Amino acid sequence: SFDVSTASFVDSFSVSSQEAKPYDVAFNTDGTKMFVVGYITDAVTEYTLSTGFDVSTASFVDSFDVSSQEAKPYDVAFNTDGTKMFVLGVAGDDVNEYTLTTGFDVSTASFVDGFDISSQDGEAEGLTFNNDGTKMFVVGDADDDINEYTLSTRFDVSTASFVDSFDVSSQEVRPRDVAFSNDG
């Protein structure tokens, strides 16, 4: 597992009816929900998959407009139970936090607050959290680095503080996203 050299193409699913410039995709833990974010509609679009992680079984459910907080959303992430959603973009250069009263249902989302990351990078495009939400990582396209933050309250961006950054410019001059194995 986690060996891309063994990968083979299976299927695809077009989201062009909802988003012409998709930038990120996220799934719930069992793969029965898929979320796409893009900056033409400035929305997080939700799909249901009748078979977990099989995009050929996806169907559109709803969209949640984030344009009041971010005009160019590039990334979306969730906490493990889907009651928190995070949207990152290059226009606001911040991580926007939303609460979902029903986990992984974007129609129940409401904005909580944002965390400004412009001191670390002027063009943030990728976002991820560790499993327990005590660490947040933001990829910056302007500085070509991965910025690490500690959250004193799990999945609460208002408690985030910058720790350090890791320069990836020797490998990539336009990094867009970051991901980790399950154990970090």
Side-chain angles (χ1 to χ4, degrees), residues 57-150:
T57 68
S59 57
F60 171 72
V61 176
D62 205 353
S63 289
F64 179 75
D65 188 330
V66 297
S67 62
S68 296
Q69 292 80 44
E70 181 55 61
K72 282 193 171 184
Y74 270 55
D75 209 337
V76 61
F78 291 85
N79 67 347
T80 50
D81 67 2
T83 57
K84 294 273 188 138
M85 177 174 75
F86 305 89
V87 175
L88 172 78
V90 297
D93 214 24
D94 56 2
V95 179
N96 297 291
E97 178 184 329
Y98 302 83
T99 297
L100 286 72
T101 54
T102 302
F104 296 109
D105 181 350
V106 297
S107 71
T108 69
S110 58
F111 177 66
V112 177
D113 58 15
F115 177 73
D116 187 344
I117 51 92
S118 61
S119 296
Q120 286 76 51
D121 201 286
E123 214 170 312
E125 296 186 4
L127 169 71
T128 195
F129 291 85
N130 67 347
N131 291 336
D132 68 3
T134 57
K135 293 277 188 175
M136 177 174 75
F137 303 89
V138 175
V139 172
D141 187 14
D143 291 340
D144 302 329
D145 59 5
I146 299 167
N147 299 289
E148 177 186 342
Y149 302 85
T150 297

Side-chain angles (χ1 to χ4, degrees), residues 149-172:
Y149 302 85
T150 297
L151 285 72
S152 57
T153 302
R154 299 168 7 103
F155 293 107
D156 181 349
V157 297
S158 70
T159 69
S161 58
F162 177 67
V163 176
D164 207 347
S165 62
F166 178 73
D167 188 320
V168 296
S169 61
S170 297
Q171 295 80 37
E172 182 56 60

